Amino acid sequence: MRPDIQLPCPFLMRWSEAFIPTLREAPADAEAVSHSLLVRGGFIRQLVAGSYTMLPLGQRVRLKVERIIREEMDAIGGQELILPTLHPAEVWKKSGRYDLMGDNLFKLKDRKGTDMVLGMTEEEIFAMLALELFSYRQLPQIWYQMHTKFRDEPRPKSGLLRVREFTMKDSYTLDIDLPGLDTGFEKHRGAYRRIFARMGLRAVDVEASSGAMGGSESVEFVQRSDAGEDWIVSCDNCGYRANLEKAVSAVPAIDDGPSGELERYPTPGLRTIKALAEAHPEIAAPERQIKTLVYYVDGEAVLATVRGDHELHPQKLADATGAGTVRPGRPEEIRDLLGADPGSLGAVGVEGLRIIADPSLRGRVNMTTGANTDDWHFKGVSVERDIAVTEWADLRSVEGGDPCVRCGQPLEMWKGIEVGHIFKLGTQYSEAFGVYVQDEAGVSHPIIMGSYGIGVERGMAAVVEANHDEAGISWPVSVAPYEVVITVVRADDAETMAAASMLYDDLGAAGLEVLIDDRDERPGVKFADAELIGVPYRVTVGPKGVAAGVVEMTTRRGLVTEEVTLSEVRTRLVSLITGQRGGV
RNA sequence: CGGGCUGUGGCGCAGUUUGGUAGCGCGCGUGCUUUGGGAGCACGAGGUCGUCGGUUCAAGUCCGACCAGCCCGACCA
């Protein structure tokens, strides 16, 4: 914790004067726990789908998350700046992402009719800024900002987890060579681990697909949660972890026997892998079939083939082909292309189309596949003899329980929230914008970029997903809106109130962030609200205790209460809280 | 974009089937009582029933169009 960077909001607050609109009932439209609790606790309010107001409590949490991010970014040598979020569309057209991002990009026109966009990430703008660099001696650089990003998401959902307007910490590394990029990437991996741990998350890094961001390698940070939207595959034994989009597993070999003759045979009415397998179990068990799928990648028809008992992962096909958009072919398109309906498709003898095959088909013989004539299949197919495979690429979607590629132990599959993502971009943006620097020998090189993002509000929501119970949120001290809430059991009792006020001043003087619940409410209301908003420590001051010189101290996590003398509370709280402020 | 659901005081909902003076709980205001786990009584404020159009003597209710929100599938921090 850096004492010189303080929250730009007061350390002390009287609940009676604060704007903390808690709700007794959960909003009907909130599905995710974090959504419900953040609304109920008076942290956020929705304006329209995917656009939220940060109420005072929410803003305090957000500022604390930002402070943690800022400290760790500064610690790896990051320099904070702030770039515009209103961009000329021209810039996005220059990088090619104006079309690639499609409808996700917010587009508008200014009064002169110039096409503008709202930034959804800022590789282009940082690359343009990097035009100011000329020499390897100015590198490396780590630049970052925390700024609003706009994405016209097709489906905003789950409160802060998926929105259209949000704060992103985005950073960019600028290097002269690949080892430099690796160094910057690993620095970010370390910083991200510390950031998420300090926020109270147990986010882990997993191998990921780079998608529309491009680049050679990317790692996602994922917090395990059923509210998440990403499927993660992991191995407890060796630590292998990957997003399902990227995950691979070992595939046990199949004994096909000796190679046989290719032969067409009638299969009336058999249109599914399962039906064919049941009708011809001796030759067409699912793992002995070839599944042929027609996909359009950036508008071009391709055949994608996987084993009959395997599922294709569309993102893998996109990654393998470098395509921006991938969609399954429509039945009429497929018939025009291959002359048969889905259920009788195959790649045997097909020419003039890209045929992309999953490696699990390599070397396989005696297989069965559709003959591109309805109600006919081929048997005795030798993949490499009978199919003109143009590319081999991992297309198969891993399933839970598959053996790990590294160690063979069964893989686990779980859902998680993507709280951060780091990318090795390479030179695509520097080349698009002409960002070159000279090396020692005076030779010009495009700057090698990396790009690194954290969704601030999504991070807040993930913290709630990971830190709550039936009563409400349980913030880690590091990001809690307040550190202590003093619950005055009888605000109308002069002595109780006097003791509570004294404690309030005292704790404030000790540098703690204190909220005093001085409202004229019944104790039950105050306890419930304190638990709902998740302040880590509660000090209950009541008439009986004050008379005896004691108060109760309740730890939010686990709701454990102990009696402490009035003279001891301050010391206890200071040592408990200062020890946790920096996060884990 | 495809599929499902929902729009009625700040929040949660009933009323719509069968058209006829807009209701309930919570919350809010005032007063009295109460006060260690979401109090009681009394009085009170607050609603163009998502929008527009149509049918009708009469529309929250019937018809049409549109808009918005939520959930499930294809994208991302």
Side-chain angles (χ1 to χ4, degrees), chain A residues 200-255:
Chain A
L201 294 175
R202 289 167 292 276
V204 293
D205 48 341
V206 310
E207 294 175 22
S209 158
S210 298
M213 203 64 82
S216 60
E217 184 184 343
S218 84
V219 166
E220 241 175 52
F221 286 79
V222 183
Q223 167 68 40
R224 194 169 185 147
S225 163
D226 287 340
E229 300 177 87
D230 280 17
W231 283 104
I232 306 300
V233 168
S234 66
C235 175
D236 278 349
N237 186 50
C238 72
Y240 172 73
R241 287 189 295 271
N243 189 298
L244 185 62
E245 295 172 353
K246 180 85 177 177
V248 290
S249 70
V251 179
I254 306 276
D255 178 12

Side-chain angles (χ1 to χ4, degrees), chain A residues 367-537:
Chain A
M367 298 193 77
T368 301
T369 192
N372 289 336
T373 303
D374 285 349
D375 302 327
W376 287 82
H377 279 76
F378 281 116
K379 58 186 175 185
V381 179
S382 289
V383 174
E384 283 159 272
R385 180 191 68 195
D386 302 324
I387 296 176
V389 173
T390 55
E391 293 144 73
W392 294 92
D394 174 50
L395 298 176
R396 172 182 174 256
S397 192
V398 168
E399 287 173 26
D402 282 353
C404 176
V405 256
R406 291 190 191 157
C407 71
Q409 291 302 301
L411 291 167
E412 192 187 355
M413 190 143 85
W414 43 274
K415 269 173 119 178
I417 301 165
E418 179 189 5
V419 288
H421 202 151
I422 60 181
F423 299 87
K424 290 186 182 175
L425 292 179
T427 58
Q428 54 174 319
Y429 296 96
S430 46
E431 284 175 16
F433 290 91
V435 190
Y436 291 84
V437 294
Q438 289 180 299
D439 65 14
E440 297 95 318
V443 180
S444 287
H445 299 276
I447 281 184
I448 299 176
M449 290 178 68
S451 148
Y452 315 85
I454 293 178
V456 174
E457 293 86 0
R458 179 183 283 184
M460 287 171 59
V463 172
V464 177
E465 293 288 343
N467 298 278
H468 69 271
D469 58 23
E470 308 69 38
I473 304 171
S474 177
W475 295 106
V477 169
S478 59
V479 295
Y482 288 92
E483 295 166 333
V484 183
V485 55
I486 298 175
T487 300
V488 187
V489 162
R490 286 285 301 270
D492 62 338
D493 180 76
E495 281 184 40
T496 306
M497 198 60 217
S501 295
M502 204 179 296
L503 181 62
Y504 176 60
D505 293 339
D506 202 26
L507 295 179
L512 301 184
E513 297 176 13
V514 191
L515 178 63
I516 184 168
D517 193 349
D518 56 343
R519 295 176 297 169
D520 181 24
E521 286 289 350
R522 302 180 68 81
V525 174
K526 296 187 176 194
F527 295 145
D529 272 347
E531 284 152 21
L532 175 63
I533 71 169
V535 177
Y537 293 97

Side-chain angles (χ1 to χ4, degrees), chain A residues 294-371:
Chain A
V294 177
Y295 269 83
Y296 282 75
V297 301
D298 285 344
E300 177 203 356
V302 303
L303 296 190
T305 57
V306 296
R307 217 168 81 177
D309 58 332
H310 291 172
E311 289 296 321
L312 173 130
H313 197 299
Q315 183 64 44
K316 287 188 167 183
L317 181 60
D319 290 346
T321 55
T325 61
V326 161
R327 65 166 179 87
R330 290 185 278 270
E332 60 278 13
E333 290 172 331
I334 294 172
R335 177 154 270 282
D336 287 348
L337 197 68
L338 296 178
D341 290 326
S344 302
L345 303 181
V348 174
V350 173
E351 288 173 5
L353 283 178
R354 286 170 80 178
I355 300 176
I356 305 166
D358 185 81
S360 59
L361 296 175
R362 213 183 254 282
R364 299 290 304 281
V365 299
N366 277 329
M367 298 193 77
T368 301
T369 192

